[in-house]
Amino acid sequence: MEDKENTSSSYEKLVSQDLTAEDDLPVHRNQEHQVTMSALRPGFTLNHYKMFTVSLAVLALILLVVDIGLGVYYYKLTDGDVVKDISSEIAKLQISYNAAVQGRDDALKLLATERSQQQVTRWEHEHLTARIKDYGNQVERIQMDIATLKSQLPMIREGCRHCAPGWTFLSSTCFYFPFASTYSRTVWQEARQSCQRLGGDLVVLDSRDKQVALFNFINTFRNPSGILHLSGFWIGLTDAEDEGVWKWLDGTKLKEGFWSIGEPNNVNNEDCAAIYPTDNPFMAWNDAPCEFRLKWICESAPRSIG
Ligand code: MAN
Ligand code: CA
């Protein structure tokens, strides 16, 4: 109360002073009056403070509400369903990612396996192509063999009709070729007896047809690395009775001989003749010592056709 009275009296003093001074300073009176009123009016200042305080309180309340709201929102973000959903989504994405990586690795392994398999298939293809070519060559050879055997069929069939088992029908005659390993080379006389035991005799080559037929046959057994004078086959021709006079076993004299160049030369008391596999069917005979051990060829008359 004392303050209010002091303030009120001070205010009255100031007003009276102000009114007194108005006459002395007429020029600046209104201006100074305004400044003094705004700065010193006590009722207006108090309201202003009250309003200011209320405003501050309201602002504080608003900030508090906003703060609580942010807190709630933060709680929802950090501990609420949204975070849970995001974590769950991340976990799902991680699983999907792991599955995709696993799938990629599996696909890479499969690709490597497929490439390896493709390489193997390529090698197999090359190998099979080479084998097919080889088979083609074999088929050609087999077809040629079949054609040869077919051409020999009539001869074999005829051989069965006209010759004893094991004998070959060639040039209208039955021949026996004791070429098997069970027959070792032997002297001329023993070869002849062997043929006789089989029902024949050593071969008589008294025609070009027979000479060519037998020459071709023995040439299939030619051994170029063998010893030449041991590669012959005894035939039924000898000059043992009369040197230089060659006779067949049936007693007929030789008319046309198919001697090699320089033969017969009788260089070693050579009274027996043999046929050799050479390059010329009409130059294929040699006279050799009858004690030489050679292979031989037998002949027998065919059974009559009928
Ligand atoms: C060589 C030649 C023939 C002879 C034989 C066997 O091959 O001299 O004339 O018959 O040897 O001695
Ligand atoms: Ca000779």
Side-chain angles (χ1 to χ4, degrees):
M1 291 294 286
E2 209 172 23
D3 284 347
K4 273 187 178 178
E5 285 174 1
N6 287 340
T7 307
S8 181
S9 63
S10 299
Y11 173 70
E12 284 169 0
K13 279 180 187 174
L14 283 169
V15 169
S16 66
Q17 282 176 4
D18 189 35
L19 289 172
T20 312
E22 259 184 31
D23 298 333
D24 298 336
L25 299 167
V27 179
H28 303 290
R29 186 176 54 90
N30 291 334
Q31 191 179 358
E32 285 178 4
H33 179 73
Q34 283 176 351
V35 170
T36 307
M37 287 297 283
S38 63
L40 299 175
R41 195 176 291 165
F44 181 82
T45 303
L46 188 62
N47 289 336
H48 179 84
Y49 282 141
K50 282 178 181 174
M51 283 180 68
F52 185 69
T53 304
V54 168
S55 299
L56 280 177
V58 169
L59 185 63
L61 191 64
I62 290 168
L63 285 173
L64 182 64
V65 169
V66 168
D67 192 31
I68 289 167
L70 284 174
V72 169
Y73 183 67
Y74 178 75
Y75 169 76
K76 281 187 176 175
L77 276 180
T78 55
D79 200 29
D81 293 340
V82 175
V83 172
K84 281 181 183 168
D85 288 348
I86 290 171
S87 298
S88 165
E89 200 60 37
I90 287 171
K92 283 179 189 167
L93 285 172
Q94 185 67 46
I95 290 168
S96 299
Y97 173 77
N98 290 343
V101 168
Q102 184 65 42
R104 183 204 61 186
D105 291 346
D106 290 347
L108 284 173
K109 278 181 195 165
L110 195 64
L111 181 67
T113 308
E114 287 294 330
R115 278 184 175 156
S116 164
Q117 188 60 41
Q118 197 181 29
Q119 181 66 32
V120 171
T121 306
R122 200 175 296 126
W123 288 335
E124 281 179 351
H125 179 259
E126 286 171 9
H127 182 66
L128 284 174
T129 305
R131 280 178 67 181
I132 286 168
K133 197 177 171 188
D134 193 40
Y135 284 147
N137 294 337
Q138 282 188 35
V139 166
E140 262 180 40
R141 281 198 295 275
I142 289 168
Q143 281 174 341
M144 284 175 69
D145 287 350
I146 289 170
T148 307
L149 288 170
K150 274 184 178 172
S151 72
Q152 290 175 354
L153 263 179
M155 183 187 78
I156 295 165
R157 210 174 287 128
E158 288 300 294
C160 293
R161 281 180 63 194
H162 302 298
C163 305
W167 290 69
T168 303
F169 190 66
L170 269 177
S171 189
S172 303
T173 307
C174 295
F175 294 100
Y176 191 82
F177 304 99
F179 296 170
S181 55
T182 49
Y183 294 96
S184 53
R185 294 193 308 270
T186 190
V187 299
W188 186 87
Q189 193 62 41
E190 173 56 31
R192 185 178 184 194
Q193 288 170 2
S194 171
C195 289
Q196 288 171 335
R197 282 195 292 273
L198 291 168
D201 210 332
L202 284 172
V203 67
V204 173
L205 296 176
D206 56 356
S207 77
R208 288 190 160 232
D209 285 349
K210 287 172 78 176
Q211 169 66 19
V212 170
L214 279 200
F215 177 86
N216 289 335
F217 190 82
I218 64 168
N219 249 286
T220 59
F221 296 93
R222 186 173 185 172
N223 178 12
S225 61
I227 302 168
L228 182 64
H229 71 267
L230 294 178
S231 64
F233 300 80
W234 290 128
I235 60 176
L237 184 68
T238 177
D239 68 345
E241 281 184 11
D242 191 0
E243 178 58 38
V245 181
W246 291 92
K247 288 182 187 172
W248 295 110
L249 293 176
D250 60 7
T252 57
K253 280 190 182 177
L254 175 69
K255 291 177 188 166
E256 184 184 17
F258 305 109
W259 301 103
S260 292
I261 294 174
E263 306 298 340
N265 57 7
N266 196 33
V267 291
N268 257 326
N269 189 25
E270 301 174 324
D271 293 341
C272 294
I275 182 172
Y276 290 75
T278 62
D279 295 328
N280 188 334
F282 304 113
M283 298 174 71
W285 294 357
N286 174 44
D287 60 334
C290 299
E291 295 75 33
F292 264 20
R293 291 184 170 275
L294 303 179
K295 287 193 171 293
W296 65 99
I297 301 167
C298 306
E299 175 187 342
S300 68
R303 285 195 285 261
S304 60
I305 304 165

